[in-house]
Amino acid sequence: MARPHIESIQAQLMPWIATSADDPRPGIEVRTLSADDETGASSSMFRYPAGWTREGPEVMLADEEFFVL
């Protein structure tokens, strides 16, 4: 079943959550805009600090799409 329709969201009012050192992408902040409890699908915003780098490869078990501002 698809996620329910959301009329409006004020993303600027949602909190940024810092990732932990154990996270695959430590040192970034995440804002979850919507999430489906049944499938685990979600829409999120990620904020990377200037100069952020990652050591080694990362394997994803889901599709990921980037829109860079």
Side-chain angles (χ1 to χ4, degrees):
M1 177 164 189
R3 288 182 271 175
H5 176 71
I6 298 173
E7 284 296 324
S8 178
I9 183 170
Q10 298 294 321
Q12 69 274 20
L13 300 178
M14 300 182 76
W16 286 104
I17 308 296
T19 57
S20 69
D22 307 0
D23 194 273
R25 295 180 187 164
I28 68 169
E29 295 177 308
V30 180
R31 233 181 217 166
T32 302
L33 304 177
S34 68
D36 186 316
D37 294 333
E38 291 180 22
T39 67
S42 66
S43 296
S44 301
M45 294 173 67
F46 297 87
R47 183 162 58 181
Y48 292 82
W52 185 87
T53 60
R54 175 170 170 65
E55 295 180 22
E58 178 182 356
V59 177
M60 298 290 294
L61 299 176
D63 293 329
E64 184 174 52
E65 181 177 351
F66 279 85
F67 180 75
V68 180
L69 299 176

